[in-house]
Amino acid sequence: MKFGIFDHLDDSGVPLNVLYEQRLKLIEGYERAGLYAYHLAEHHATPLGMAPSPTVFLAAAAQRTSTIRLGALVFTLALYHPLRLAEEICMLDHLSNGRLEVGIGRGISPIEIDMYGVDNAVAQARYLEASKVILQALTSPMLDHEGTHFKFRKVPLPMSPLQKPHPPLWYGVPNPQSVEWLAHNGINAVTLGPPPLVRGITDRYREIWAADGRDAKAIPHMGFTRHVVVADTDAKAHEIAVRAYKRWHKSFWHLWLDHNHLGVQPPHAVFPADFNALLERGTAILGSPDTVREKLLSQVSVSGANYALIDVSFGDMAPADSARTVELFARHVMPAFA
């Protein structure tokens, strides 16, 4: 069982340069705590994501750390020129000395995709084609591709990633029906869902992995994301979480409420306004170290997951509270999963 950080890097109310520095210091603390990886979301034109270019922020994080793995979860491929992103992936993999993790996806928000001038009706096809181009560019000395959205003729590729054949890939999985391609290709899977939904995904992944004749010990990460707050007491953790979640929730719904005339809702993401409802759904965990450890042990047992991404800095949470969560989590929770 491994643990990583999931971060929207949402607006906390402080000046942006201060927010970046606060987060970079927290990432240094994540590394000291022994967390496996830092995964950064990509969002545009919304206070939910103040790092719309993950590669820029991750380049800074790479220079402030030496062991924690770093990556986007996910790069919104429908918005990228794939050759440019492939080059940046190569750069980041070398700047981090081979610590890059690459999440790929279409993008969860049709509103953000539309703002970039991309027709949401073709976003899925554009993402699929871009992913093929990027994988070819990362593994070949020359790029040749004739597609619907992109065309390349004998483009030389003098750079390649440090990790061979390419950095590990990640994908957000909404349901067990989406697992087959991931399992056949050894791609790490993450979901937002409650434990029973996660179980359906991990069972299906293991079933396909075994049918392909692969070693069970070599199975990729199959994980879930959770808002997590650890404090000295359950009451203190609840106080911190409820206050910070209010601002995070407002940022999450910002674009959807501003564009409610379009009649769209965020797909596969259930975030109620009441933090207690999130706790009941099982997609947030808070409390004293003992409480969090027992709740997480139960969730891992039910879900069959081998990876958990914890979101410990959200909304207007004070950096000291986030750092305290990580300190207590590393000291009192993680050893139970060794």
Side-chain angles (χ1 to χ4, degrees):
M1 186 74 189
K2 293 180 182 177
F3 297 94
I5 293 288
F6 180 69
D7 189 10
H8 282 99
L9 222 170
D10 50 305
D11 183 12
S12 69
V14 303
L16 191 54
N17 63 317
V18 175
L19 177 63
Y20 287 157
E21 181 59 25
Q22 288 176 345
R23 197 62 105 249
L24 289 168
K25 286 181 178 177
L26 282 174
I27 294 171
E28 292 173 356
Y30 302 155
E31 179 171 88
R32 289 192 298 270
L35 290 164
Y36 177 75
Y38 172 80
H39 304 267
L40 177 63
E42 177 183 337
H43 286 286
H44 301 271
T46 169
L48 182 63
M50 302 306 288
S53 177
T55 56
V56 174
F57 187 78
L58 293 173
Q63 300 310 297
R64 300 279 287 262
T65 58
S66 59
T67 57
I68 191 170
R69 300 187 66 81
L70 305 164
L73 194 62
V74 297
F75 285 118
T76 306
L77 294 193
L79 306 183
Y80 282 92
H81 188 286
L83 177 57
R84 176 61 180 263
L85 183 57
E87 292 174 332
E88 293 189 6
I89 287 171
C90 289
M91 290 179 65
L92 267 176
D93 201 32
H94 285 274
L95 284 168
S96 64
N97 287 315
R99 291 185 285 136
L100 187 63
E101 305 280 322
V102 177
I104 58 173
R106 183 190 75 103
I108 194 171
S109 172
I111 300 170
E112 295 175 39
I113 290 172
D114 180 70
M115 286 180 174
Y116 260 63
V118 176
D119 182 355
N120 191 58
V122 302
Q124 179 71 11
R126 187 180 172 93
Y127 143 67
L128 291 171
E129 187 175 337
S131 65
K132 292 178 181 179
V133 172
I134 289 168
L135 288 176
Q136 184 187 153
L138 294 177
T139 55
S140 304
M142 185 172 292
L143 179 58
D144 262 310
H145 175 83
E146 184 76 22
T148 303
H149 304 283
F150 306 103
K151 294 177 174 61
F152 301 96
R153 301 290 276 176
K154 299 190 183 321
V155 178
L157 301 168
M159 289 195 302
S160 63
L162 184 58
Q163 299 176 88
K164 304 300 183 186
H166 52 70
L169 299 179
W170 294 73
Y171 187 81
V173 188
N175 53 57
Q177 291 71 43
S178 306
V179 170
E180 187 167 353
W181 175 73
L182 306 181
H184 285 314
N185 291 280
I187 295 171
N188 301 287
V190 179
T191 186
L192 296 168
L197 173 63
V198 182
R199 187 71 196 209
I201 290 170
T202 59
D203 281 353
R204 181 62 179 146
Y205 202 120
R206 287 188 170 96
E207 177 186 352
I208 297 170
W209 189 261
D212 285 347
R214 302 195 187 186
D215 183 359
K217 294 180 180 178
I219 199 165
H221 297 103
M222 302 171 294
F224 53 74
T225 64
R226 298 289 184 262
H227 285 80
V228 172
V229 178
V230 191
D232 294 323
T233 66
D234 290 356
K236 181 62 176 177
H238 191 270
E239 176 190 341
I240 293 168
V242 169
R243 185 191 65 244
Y245 182 74
K246 287 180 181 178
R247 186 180 186 104
W248 181 90
H249 187 266
K250 183 179 179 180
S251 293
F252 177 84
W253 281 98
H254 175 81
L255 278 184
W256 304 96
L257 294 177
D258 275 4
H259 296 79
N260 60 8
H261 62 281
L262 299 176
V264 292
Q265 294 286 318
H268 313 303
V270 180
F271 292 109
D274 182 3
F275 190 81
N276 290 323
L278 201 67
L279 289 171
E280 292 173 6
R281 190 169 186 266
T283 51
I285 300 174
L286 64 79
S288 68
D290 289 345
T291 298
V292 170
R293 182 176 59 251
E294 294 311 308
K295 287 183 177 179
L296 194 55
L297 281 167
S298 175
Q299 286 215 11
V300 169
S301 176
V302 171
S303 69
N306 62 10
Y307 193 65
L309 293 94
I310 59 174
D311 187 343
V312 301
S313 185
F314 52 90
D316 55 4
M317 188 180 299
D321 290 333
S322 298
R324 182 64 171 159
T325 284
V326 173
E327 175 192 356
L328 294 173
F329 191 88
R331 187 190 306 171
H332 299 292
V333 179
M334 288 170 58
F337 298 85

